[in-house]
Amino acid sequence: MPGNSENTLTQHQRIAELAKQRPEMAFTSLNHLLDLRTLWDAFHKTPMKKAPGVDGQTAADYEEDLMGNLKSLLERAKSGTYRAPPVRRVHIPKGTGGETRPIGIPTFEDKVLQRAVVMILEPLYEPLFHEGSYGFRPKRSAHQALESLWRQTMATRGGWILDVDIRKFFDTLDHGHLRELLQHRVSDGVLLRLIGKWLNAGVLEDGNLSYPDEGTPQGGVISPLLANIYLHYVLDTWIEQDVKPRLRGRVFLIRYADDFVLGFTCEEDARRVLELLPKRFGKYGLTIHPDKTRLVRFRPGAKARGRHSTDEPHTFDFLGFTHHWGLSRKGRPVVKRQTASNRLTRAITTIADWCRRNRHKPLSEQHTTLKRKLQGHYTYYGITGNSASLSKFYHFATRAWKKWLSRRNRERRWNWDCHRRMMERYPLPLPIAVHSVLRHSAKP
């Protein structure tokens, strides 16, 4: 293991402590933290089984001469001769309507260098980031964002929710504004030059190489941090310092990367901010989606209607869940969450498609993968009060497995009795609220 790990750790700790003490300070000398030890740590924190980039190099290939590759990478990064390779772009399904989301896949070496820079910059920005920001931050998660949203809507007895959609945020993030915002905190030429190279790296898609003058690829290791920095200044700080002092009632912001909601106790405040948001975002090259951004009357007793109803909406979706008011077992108003219909449909469709494509594999292999898929679904969507959606997912997964098993050999009957006996030998995991309020409260 190269370098003195204790000295490297001490250097990082000093910078982190100084960042906490001097929130307004711009750091002019950080590149000494980009050393062989940091690259070594970054290599071991980079997932090894991800798809390769445009050069086809895998983690195993890179590891064959790890020290030589890391030394070469460090020299090129420090001297300014490092060239950010193009990002390989692929598209993944975004919903059930055929819409896709572009994902960028950097080369493995680029991932290592990006992760090293993130390891240096993250301690500088963590003391600045606001409490309502949860996406891609250390020791923070989507479930913590959901919990905070639940507690604050319960504490205020509802009110008004501004459900905001930024149109193609990662594709339209303005490079010039990002560079200006970065310089509030970072003035080190080596790191800023590297970030500039990543922003200007080409995109390879279907054999065509292009050089976008805006946006940062989703999938890049550094992209989530750059997104958080951008929205910290454009949105979070603006709400805290400029908006809150001018409002009559209470307001809270919950943000996970570019997905966020604002909660208000006063309708007038909500409508004022709804009017100001497009102007604020437009100043920084961003656009609020007019059709997907909604002001929701979110109070106990409000009758829930469909999302596409012409009447005033009373529910909203956030982080894959539909939030609505209901009654507890004791008859008290409570905010409830269930899997958003588009997410549930997508999950069911994905399971059915997998069963179709893999129906000829041995049952033990199918069982192992299906079990993992169901457990993964429960790990995210298994929250208190979502049992109906979890049960529906389990029910449809079971039926999809039976359907495609019965079609792999038409000469052999595969009825429900056969399937039931098979399920006794290869049981699928039953729905469970992994994030149960009752389970966590029972822990000592």
Side-chain angles (χ1 to χ4, degrees), residues 107-167:
T107 63
F108 182 79
E109 182 175 69
D110 209 39
K111 292 177 185 176
V112 172
L113 186 54
Q114 287 190 32
R115 190 168 298 278
V117 172
V118 168
M119 289 165 58
I120 295 170
L121 294 184
E122 206 167 54
L124 305 186
Y125 283 99
E126 274 300 309
L128 296 185
F129 289 158
H130 293 285
E131 186 64 26
S133 169
Y134 288 89
F136 306 104
R137 293 181 57 189
K139 300 179 181 179
R140 290 190 161 225
S141 68
H143 289 99
Q144 289 176 324
L146 290 165
E147 177 68 14
S148 178
L149 175 59
W150 186 87
R151 292 188 181 281
Q152 294 197 69
T153 49
M154 286 291 292
T156 58
R157 299 282 293 174
W160 294 83
I161 296 290
L162 189 51
D163 180 11
V164 183
D165 184 274
I166 307 176
R167 193 197 296 266

Side-chain angles (χ1 to χ4, degrees), residues 289-323:
H289 201 300
D291 298 326
K292 296 182 180 180
T293 298
R294 310 176 314 143
L295 184 59
V296 179
R297 182 178 181 271
F298 195 68
R299 293 187 182 279
K303 182 181 178 182
R305 297 181 174 91
R307 186 178 180 88
H308 301 291
S309 171
T310 55
D311 295 323
E312 184 182 74
H314 299 284
T315 69
F316 65 95
D317 290 355
F318 184 61
L319 296 181
F321 292 89
T322 297
H323 302 251

Side-chain angles (χ1 to χ4, degrees), residues 29 32 67 136 142 233 259 280 290 308 325 361 380 441:
S29 180
H32 66 282
M67 287 308 302
F136 306 104
Y233 290 107
D259 195 0
R280 173 67 180 179
H308 301 291
W325 281 95
K361 289 186 175 180
Y380 186 79
S441 62

Side-chain angles (χ1 to χ4, degrees), residues 187-216:
S187 296
D188 183 277
V190 171
L191 297 188
L192 289 177
R193 183 169 60 237
L194 283 172
I195 293 173
K197 290 182 178 183
W198 288 319
L199 292 176
N200 294 324
V203 174
L204 184 66
E205 183 175 3
D206 297 329
N208 298 316
L209 182 62
S210 61
Y211 293 89
D213 56 4
E214 59 184 9
T216 177

Side-chain angles (χ1 to χ4, degrees), residues 194-244:
L194 283 172
I195 293 173
K197 290 182 178 183
W198 288 319
L199 292 176
N200 294 324
V203 174
L204 184 66
E205 183 175 3
D206 297 329
N208 298 316
L209 182 62
S210 61
Y211 293 89
D213 56 4
E214 59 184 9
T216 177
Q218 296 185 64
V221 177
I222 201 167
S223 295
L225 177 59
L226 296 180
N228 273 335
I229 293 170
Y230 204 84
L231 289 175
H232 166 75
Y233 290 107
V234 174
L235 177 66
D236 304 357
T237 300
W238 176 65
I239 291 291
E240 289 294 326
Q241 297 181 1
D242 297 337
V243 174
K244 279 189 176 182

Side-chain angles (χ1 to χ4, degrees), residues 243-258:
V243 174
K244 279 189 176 182
R246 293 174 170 81
L247 299 182
R248 293 172 54 191
R250 292 174 58 183
V251 59
F252 64 83
L253 167 66
I254 306 292
R255 181 174 66 80
Y256 194 91
D258 63 324

